[in-house]
Amino acid sequence: IALPPLNVPLAKALVARTDISRDEMLRLFHEQFLRDVIEMVPLIAAAQFSDPVEGPKFYSDTLFPRIRDNVAALMSRFTGWDMGSTQMDLAIQAVMGVHFGIALENVLGGGKLDIARVTHDLTRMFAPGLTATTLPTARTTAAKAVARAGRTDAAQGRSGIAAAAWLAAGADT
């Protein structure tokens, strides 16, 4: 299935910009990506949901890699994360999921989306999480949780995984 072209020149142009703030760069990205997804969502939905086997294969083999290739450098500039990292994959999956969900709801609802308002909200939502930091690994986070709880044996250490997930989510900072 041929996809309409993504706005690659915008993503590449944004990576090179030094005259705008990070938040403005992120807002411009959300605005253009949302516009592109709204145009593509009927084709994407048909491809994704028409066949229970081929639909997920289309997403994982075609759609995600293509979008990832187009936005990874820009996302790396926002985050400081390596373009091949798991964190990068998760961030791009999250951005894609939110944009596709908004676009699908808009198309199915027959409504006219206020793109300026939505991109403002998306920027506010994603900006704090897409910062130039390194996320802790699950092992490091679990070890810290276990140390905080004063547990050292393996059985108790495994129970620290749940605590680590809680801590990583910011519940106990």
Side-chain angles (χ1 to χ4, degrees), residues 4 34-49 99-108:
L34 187 56
R35 289 181 192 280
D36 289 345
V37 172
I38 288 171
E39 288 182 28
M40 294 186 307
V41 82
L43 173 63
I44 293 168
Q48 181 72 16
F49 302 119
H99 285 78
F100 289 156
I102 291 168
L104 190 57
E105 182 179 343
N106 181 62
V107 169
L108 293 176

Side-chain angles (χ1 to χ4, degrees), residues 18-97:
T18 58
D19 61 325
I20 59 175
S21 72
R22 180 183 171 281
D23 285 353
E24 179 62 10
M25 187 183 308
L26 188 56
R27 187 196 65 74
L28 290 170
F29 164 73
H30 283 301
E31 181 178 335
Q32 188 58 54
F33 190 59
L34 187 56
R35 289 181 192 280
D36 289 345
V37 172
I38 288 171
E39 288 182 28
M40 294 186 307
V41 82
L43 173 63
I44 293 168
Q48 181 72 16
F49 302 119
S50 64
D51 186 295
V53 174
E54 292 300 317
K57 186 176 178 193
F58 167 75
Y59 178 86
S60 64
D61 294 352
T62 304
L63 186 62
F64 177 71
R66 182 162 178 192
I67 290 174
R68 188 190 194 294
D69 289 346
N70 286 330
V71 301
L74 183 61
M75 295 288 282
S76 182
R77 175 141 181 236
F78 293 146
T79 63
W81 299 333
D82 180 79
M83 289 193 299
S85 70
T86 301
Q87 290 95 340
M88 182 63 66
D89 282 347
L90 290 172
I92 293 172
Q93 291 273 8
V95 168
M96 287 173 60

